[in-house]
Amino acid sequence: MSIKAENSRIAKNTISLYIRTVIVMFVSLYTSRLVLQALGETDLGIYNLVGGIVSLMAFLQAAQTKSTSRFITYELGLGGESSKLSRIYSICMTIHILLVIIIVVIAETIGLFIINEYTQIPESRMVAANLVYQFSILTFVMHFIRCPLDSVIIAHENMTVYAYMSILEVSLQLGLVFAVLHYSGDNLILYGFLVFAVSVVLFICYLIYRRKTYPVYRYRFIWDKKESVRVLSFSGWTLLGSSANTFTQQGVALLFNNFVGLVANTALGFANQVNAAVGKFVSSFTTAFNPQIIKLQAQDDRNSLFILMNRASRFSFALCYVMALPIISNMEFILNLWLGKVPEYTTEFCQLILVCSIIDATTGVFNTSITATGEIKNYQIGIALSFLLDLVCATVLLYFGIHPALVFGSRIITRGFMNMLIGLHYSNKLLAFPLRKYLVEVMIPIGITILITIPISMIRMAEGWLSFILNIILTVVAVSLCTLFIIMKKHERTTILKAITNRFYASKL
């Protein structure tokens, strides 16, 4: 495939995933309000508790998905012989099946014991809680076994289908909430069952699509010790970073609870919701670039790889920044609309976590490029240590009574800039990535854009809704112009403006 065709595919995939993320985010936010209305605070709390014990193992799912995607994509980059692709897919699926058996055993023993002995669930709701827990385990199983199917679609860069599947998923979830709202029985049990039913429907849809579109990926039981150990070793090191991330987040939440109180946990909960929404945007950008980065590494085409890495970093920053900056500058107004009464610290926490999201969007490409090499041990150790340093800093600062917002800001240094430096270091070490060129082509244009747009985002020309709307328009226009004339190169700007012009004239005709 030519460079022009590759760029066109990446652009198309980015747009598809961007649109998908917007739709998914708004439907999810609306669905979350209806879920509270359908279940009530007590039953929703029970669902989050019993489902949360299973979701603690979700980082294992993320590690396995990344591992499977890397090996399939890498093989495609080498030429993608049918027999080798089928073998890699079968080995990964076998590993998923074995891991899911282990997880179910743990969930049905230790997890079940915790649910019944160490939770404050009302006695009258214990039967419902146990049933929902079983449905949650089954839902997790369906999602976990589906990981290789997702990886196949992503590896083949068929993001439009991936976007359609995501939209179908949130649409089904919205539909099930309406069903629960009109149900006269135990809403909690019905909700748990319907969430599981949606996961089954999605699994069947993915399976049918994979069979019809990519018949080469036929599962057959294979246990190749050497290859399986290689896949498990890779996912194990990926798991180190994921588990350190989960451990740190839970640890910081506990620290806030002990040193500040529940008000800080409430603010942290809302900040995490904002982070999750923006995180979906960030992942949609990186997902579009990831397969090409891994394939170029497999082909050892370093020149094209470095060009794509710099472009991915610049564009991911721009796409995240144009959305995040208006939200940051209008955070208090937005939270008042969303929550009515805004808990203390929520505005500052949400603003700071969006700064982290912007940094993550800019540097996510390093994770992909280093992952593509397969030599991730030292990199994952470095990332895990930066996460744990965030926990150490939070502990020290809270102990000495520092304002919680400043404590929360420590993650910008540790999980943000430190992770950036770690990514740059290992990209240079493993790939000979040109740091000077990255500084000139990426960091300087980004820095100039930030210096220009932040003062503009602080301009207020009116009050209330008019101020909000005018500020959003002004900030988005400023970021868009800076993206076109500072972040983009001349040929990139020409290509985009030409595409917009052609589409405009086509619509006129």
Side-chain angles (χ1 to χ4, degrees), residues 8-145:
S8 177
R9 172 181 280 191
I10 290 173
K12 180 182 177 182
N13 287 337
T14 301
I15 293 170
S16 296
L17 290 171
Y18 196 91
I19 294 171
R20 162 252 189 190
T21 305
V22 171
I23 295 172
V24 168
M25 183 181 72
F26 282 107
V27 175
S28 297
L29 288 173
Y30 179 59
T31 301
S32 65
R33 292 185 62 180
L34 292 180
V35 170
L36 176 59
Q37 182 182 342
L39 299 183
E41 292 184 7
T42 300
D43 277 359
L44 182 57
I46 292 172
Y47 183 82
N48 289 335
L49 177 63
V50 299
I53 292 179
V54 177
S55 66
L56 284 175
M57 294 176 280
F59 59 84
L60 176 61
Q61 179 180 345
Q64 282 302 121
T65 300
K66 180 178 287 188
S67 176
T68 302
S69 182
R70 185 266 175 189
F71 282 97
I72 292 175
T73 307
Y74 196 90
E75 194 60 47
L76 283 171
L78 293 176
E81 292 182 17
S82 297
S83 59
K84 290 185 178 180
L85 286 172
S86 178
R87 183 175 181 80
I88 288 292
Y89 173 79
S90 295
I91 289 172
C92 290
M93 182 61 84
T94 299
I95 291 173
H96 275 75
I97 292 171
L98 293 176
L99 285 174
V100 105
I101 292 171
I102 295 171
I103 291 168
V104 168
V105 170
I106 294 173
E108 293 289 10
T109 52
I110 299 174
L112 196 60
F113 179 75
I114 292 172
I115 288 291
N116 286 283
E117 301 296 332
Y118 290 96
T119 58
Q120 301 299 317
I121 298 173
E123 186 65 32
S124 61
R125 302 302 291 151
M126 281 304 298
V127 173
N130 275 277
L131 284 172
V132 170
Y133 181 66
Q134 297 303 318
F135 288 135
S136 297
I137 293 172
L138 292 172
T139 302
F140 174 81
V141 169
M142 298 309 301
H143 283 296
F144 197 78
I145 296 296

Side-chain angles (χ1 to χ4, degrees), residues 162-177:
Y162 186 68
Y164 286 151
M165 290 292 191
S166 298
I167 294 170
L168 173 62
E169 184 171 8
V170 293
S171 300
L172 291 172
Q173 289 171 348
L174 179 61
L176 75 86
V177 175

